[in-house]
Amino acid sequence: MKPKQIILLVGILVVLAALVVLKQAKDKPASIEDAVKLTALMPEGVAKTDITKIELYAGGKPDEKVVLERTADAPDKWQAANHFNAPVAEKKITELLDALADIKGEPREQEVADEGLKDYELANDTAFHVAAYTNDPAKPACELLVGKSLANRQSFARFGESKNVYLIAHDVRAMAGLRGGENEAAPTPATWLDKGVLELDQAKLTRFDMKNPYKHLVLQREEKPEEKPAEPASAEGETPATPEPKEKQYEWKVAEGADGVELKQAGFMNCVRSLSKLNATDFADPAKKAELGLDAPAYTCTIAVEGQEAPIVIQGARQKPSDNGYILVPGREPERIYEVAKNVFEMLFGMETSMNSFELPGLTFQTDQAAQVAITQPEGNVRLAKEESGWKALEPAVALELQTTAADGIVRAMSTWKAAEYLTSAEGVDTGLDAPTRTITVTLADGSAHTLTLGKDSAFLDGVYARLDSNPAVLLVRRSDITRLFPALKDLFSRQLLDVAEEDLASITVERGGAKYELTSGPDGWKLNADGNEQPANSEAVEHLVAAITDAQAEDILFTETSLGGEPASVLRIRTAKGDENVVNFGVEKDNKVPVMLGTKLPVFALSSVDATELLPNAEALTPPPAEPAKPETAEPAPAGAIAPAEPATAAPAAAPAITVEPPAQAVSITPEIKPAPAPTPSVEVKPAPPAETPAAE
């Protein structure tokens, strides 16, 4: 192809490309705003930088507002004005401001009546209100009312007193932490708060000095000694190669407070990671500093950071060991009191740190090696022995089935038990270990035994002071471990009251309040005999009573009681088809519990008053309901072509013979249906007669 032809072809292609671009621009669809004519809902001239305060509240709870304000000293920062001026998370407030500035609505309905607004959940008392203030702190520059949310994060809205309804592409309720359908729920400040306390580079943390009322623990980072590599062999006359410098390696060591206890590097590094980015759960009122115990804090954590001259000091206090804790960082302005989770508090001040970071004393043995378990406790002692058939209860000596799973659970908890904490010094601490409150001993098949001794509740940790075997160290057992090691006595035994099956019941007798009745089972069902009168029993009520008897479960077992404390107030007698009798004696109700004994055998059980009432219904509750009077029956209209029957006569005691009327073409059989009195009008059944037979030709 000649050069001139090539130039001409290129020119044509350029022109065609330009035409395509022009056509695409011409055919470009209109923006969604132009297509549906979206309306800007923020008043003209109000920019997000002009907004100085935002109030959010549910329409039905205007007094439970969240108030967010710009701070006076740093206008780009926000605070929760009605929640101790706690800092607001920058991301959250930016998201809300951007939404308000950009909010546009698709018109849905104009001048909607009050009843119609309810359908959109846009009535004043059901809508979610967002009021934005600018230069006038008493009057909002704009007020957005948000109604029903849709699945695609859209929602209905209107502005201020206007009753025009729009569809907006924002779910402001969700921004405020409320889920769909929570129209009556009030927003809370927690959704908006910046709860960060510390954020440090964990690689630069060099020392933790942790003090609590019973221990002073110091851990510090030290450089690992560099292992000298073997010198590589070199040829004669060659200069040995200089090894490249290696990056420094560090490890954590215990400087104070853990003599004889091994530090687990991986466990403590988990603590370092957690403490380098410390978050609160909420904020507390700074005016309550003394009330919370932070005027003379009993807990201190000092953190040294590489390259930072002054260490970071965190002070703490808490009301009870089972509660969350409160901390503050002295010297910060403004002074803030943070509430932190229980486990974070204990990690920060060396308690949870110990559990995760040290190899604390504990037990390890195979559960199938356990031969005996002995427990002493105020509620009653327990002695269990392993036999070929399983565990047997030697104490308490009661004729009850032992719950094997409960016995196995005690052994399993003991076989893996680890101390939660230790005291470096028990001086001045009343541990109560000189007069133990509980002990548990597991004896193994080889004759060895392990004993855990418990003293008083710890004043600092949610648990109890303890000693393992003959080790003098004072340890702590967590509360959750105690419930597994020392289950309630009632949970060791089956509390099924009666061992009878529904199909075996022959009679049930109830004596209560001077009255007596008997239910007997027969071929025709259950019969009720009360005051010498026998009648069929209410089958539904009897089924309920039978189910209550076969399923009856005691709420408690009163091992320390030896009687009902008097004559039985009520008696339930149950006979089986084999002639066996079970007698349940009921005592007097006290504190919504009824003492119960099976005959005169111990132990004494305790039934809830509700369960006891189900086992002792009144005779009236077991009588059949009164029969409803029969309604007169209306004869159905005869089909077309049928012969109307004559006026029906009074029904005779016995069924009348069929009356057959034979018309020339068709016969109709009319048979009155006789029903027992008092039905006044017999029903009439109209049937077409079979076709007449044709005589056979002779």
Side-chain angles (χ1 to χ4, degrees):
M1 186 178 289
K2 295 180 179 180
K4 288 185 178 180
Q5 291 175 322
I6 294 173
I7 294 171
L8 179 62
L9 182 58
V10 170
I12 293 171
L13 290 174
V14 170
V15 172
L16 289 174
L19 290 174
V20 169
V21 171
L22 288 172
K23 187 174 188 308
Q24 286 179 341
K26 182 178 180 182
D27 295 341
K28 185 179 179 181
S31 67
I32 188 171
E33 294 184 20
D34 295 332
V36 297
K37 296 183 179 178
L38 294 183
T39 303
L41 301 183
M42 180 65 76
E44 188 176 352
V46 177
K48 63 182 180 181
T49 53
D50 299 328
I51 298 174
T52 58
K53 182 174 75 169
I54 299 173
E55 293 180 347
L56 306 103
Y57 61 94
K61 299 177 179 179
D63 295 332
E64 299 180 40
K65 293 180 180 179
V66 171
V67 182
L68 310 177
E69 286 184 347
R70 290 188 189 271
T71 59
D73 54 342
D76 58 328
K77 303 292 184 182
W78 286 70
Q79 61 189 14
N82 61 340
H83 194 68
F84 322 123
N85 287 332
V88 170
E90 182 179 350
K91 181 179 178 182
K92 292 290 296 183
I93 191 63
T94 300
E95 180 187 20
L96 179 60
L97 289 170
D98 287 346
L100 292 177
D102 185 53
I103 212 158
K104 295 179 178 63
E106 175 190 336
R108 277 306 175 97
E109 196 172 350
Q110 304 292 309
E111 294 300 325
V112 181
D114 290 343
E115 285 300 314
L117 290 176
K118 291 180 181 178
D119 295 334
Y120 290 104
E121 297 175 6
L122 282 173
N124 283 337
D125 59 347
T126 58
F128 185 79
H129 295 244
V130 182
Y133 294 78
T134 54
N135 55 347
D136 186 347
K139 183 180 179 181
C142 64
E143 185 174 8
L144 175 69
L145 280 71
V146 182
K148 185 181 295 184
S149 300
L150 304 182
N152 55 0
R153 296 186 65 84
Q154 294 179 320
S155 53
F156 294 108
R158 64 187 179 96
F159 258 72
E161 297 301 318
S162 170
K163 294 187 177 181
N164 298 338
V165 175
Y166 299 88
L167 183 65
I168 62 174
H170 298 279
D171 189 347
V172 183
R173 271 199 178 102
M175 289 184 189
L178 302 176
R179 294 171 296 181
E182 292 184 333
N183 297 347
E184 297 179 1
T188 62
T191 303
W192 303 94
L193 302 182
D194 179 357
K195 300 172 186 175
V197 181
L198 285 178
E199 187 162 1
L200 305 170
D201 183 350
Q202 67 179 23
K204 293 186 176 182
L205 304 183
T206 61
R207 183 182 172 94
F208 285 91
D209 188 326
M210 302 168 167
K211 292 181 181 178
N212 61 53
Y214 61 87
K215 186 169 66 178
H216 183 190
L217 179 64
V218 180
L219 297 110
Q220 61 187 25
R221 191 187 71 174
E222 296 182 1
E223 186 178 348
K224 280 185 179 181
E226 186 177 351
E227 296 181 3
K228 189 175 182 181
E231 293 185 5
S234 57
E236 187 176 348
E238 290 184 4
T239 304
T242 304
E244 294 184 5
K246 292 184 178 180
E247 185 179 348
K248 291 182 180 180
Q249 299 293 318
Y250 297 94
E251 63 181 352
W252 287 87
K253 295 280 186 75
V254 179
E256 185 179 342
D259 296 338
V261 182
E262 181 184 352
L263 178 68
K264 297 184 291 186
Q265 291 293 320
F268 185 65
M269 285 307 300
N270 287 334
C271 293
V272 172
R273 276 190 289 273
S274 298
L275 297 177
S276 64
K277 189 172 182 179
L278 196 62
N279 291 313
T281 60
D282 202 351
F283 293 79
D285 187 354
K288 294 183 177 180
K289 182 177 177 179
E291 183 181 330
L292 295 173
L294 285 168
D295 55 338
Y299 299 82
T300 306
C301 178
T302 304
I303 304 173
V305 183
E306 183 182 332
Q308 188 171 309
E309 184 177 348
I312 298 169
V313 178
I314 302 172
Q315 297 174 338
R318 65 176 171 183
Q319 308 300 298
K320 294 186 299 184
S322 58
D323 291 348
N324 285 348
Y326 298 94
I327 63 173
L328 61 80
V329 181
R332 277 192 179 175
E333 291 295 339
E335 186 175 76
R336 301 193 190 280
I337 297 178
Y338 304 88
E339 180 179 345
V340 294
K342 176 175 173 290
N343 67 309
V344 172
F345 184 88
E346 292 174 356
M347 187 182 300
L348 188 60
F349 299 109
M351 294 169 281
E352 183 85 13
T353 306
S354 298
M355 186 176 184
N356 291 309
S357 307
F358 296 105
E359 197 61 59
L360 299 179
L363 292 172
T364 302
F365 60 82
Q366 298 296 319
T367 56
D368 58 0
Q369 293 300 302
Q372 294 182 14
V373 176
I375 295 174
T376 62
Q377 57 186 359
E379 299 85 355
N381 296 341
V382 176
R383 284 193 303 125
L384 307 176
K386 176 73 78 64
E387 298 183 347
E388 288 187 6
S389 58
W391 288 100
K392 180 181 178 181
L394 305 179
E395 188 180 0
V398 290
L400 294 175
E401 179 186 353
L402 180 69
Q403 298 279 44
T404 304
T405 53
D408 288 339
I410 296 172
V411 174
R412 192 162 48 250
M414 192 72 168
S415 70
T416 58
W417 179 79
K418 289 285 188 295
E421 179 59 301
Y422 65 95
L423 273 67
T424 52
S425 172
E427 185 178 352
V429 180
D430 184 9
T431 64
L433 290 170
D434 294 334
T437 58
R438 300 173 188 271
T439 64
I440 177 171
T441 300
V442 175
T443 303
L444 304 181
D446 62 4
S448 61
H450 297 287
T451 299
L452 185 62
T453 303
L454 272 59
K456 291 185 176 181
D457 285 357
S458 167
F460 318 112
L461 196 74
D462 189 18
V464 175
Y465 297 114
R467 181 173 288 128
L468 180 61
D469 295 335
S470 57
N471 190 330
V474 178
L475 309 172
L476 283 103
V477 180
R478 284 199 176 278
R479 190 81 56 193
S480 56
D481 286 346
I482 296 172
T483 57
R484 296 190 303 127
L485 293 165
F486 299 89
L489 273 179
K490 67 176 183 178
D491 295 333
L492 291 175
F493 300 94
S494 170
R495 301 199 299 275
Q496 184 76 26
L497 204 60
L498 296 164
D499 185 17
V500 291
E502 180 179 340
E503 58 272 15
D504 294 336
L505 295 180
S507 70
I508 302 168
T509 304
V510 173
E511 302 173 18
R512 57 173 292 184
K516 178 180 178 180
Y517 65 82
E518 183 179 23
L519 290 163
T520 55
S521 177
D524 300 329
W526 287 88
K527 297 290 180 65
L528 172 65
N529 192 325
D531 300 326
N533 297 322
E534 186 175 88
Q535 59 179 320
N538 184 325
S539 59
E540 187 176 339
V542 173
E543 285 179 11
H544 186 81
L545 174 59
V546 169
I549 290 171
T550 56
D551 296 340
Q553 187 100 298
E555 192 173 90
D556 202 352
I557 305 174
L558 309 178
F559 290 99
T560 58
E561 300 293 333
T562 57
S563 70
L564 295 177
E567 292 297 316
S570 303
V571 179
L572 173 67
R573 301 178 189 276
I574 299 157
R575 287 186 178 85
T576 67
K578 295 180 181 179
D580 299 328
E581 183 178 62
N582 295 277
V583 179
V584 184
N585 293 312
F586 295 75
V588 178
E589 178 185 342
K590 183 180 180 182
D591 298 329
N592 293 321
K593 291 185 179 180
V594 179
V596 169
M597 291 181 68
L598 301 181
T600 57
K601 293 188 298 184
L602 292 175
V604 179
F605 294 94
L607 283 177
S608 71
S609 57
V610 173
D611 290 344
T613 302
E614 285 191 335
L615 293 171
L616 300 167
N618 292 317
E620 291 79 5
L622 298 165
T623 57
E628 295 183 5
K631 297 180 180 179
E633 297 190 7
T634 305
E636 295 182 2
I643 298 174
E647 194 71 17
T650 305
I659 302 171
T660 304
V661 181
E662 296 184 359
Q666 185 180 13
V668 179
S669 174
I670 305 173
T671 306
E673 179 183 339
I674 307 301
K675 290 190 176 181
T681 307
S683 62
V684 180
E685 182 180 3
V686 181
K687 296 182 179 178
E693 296 184 1
T694 305
E698 293 183 6

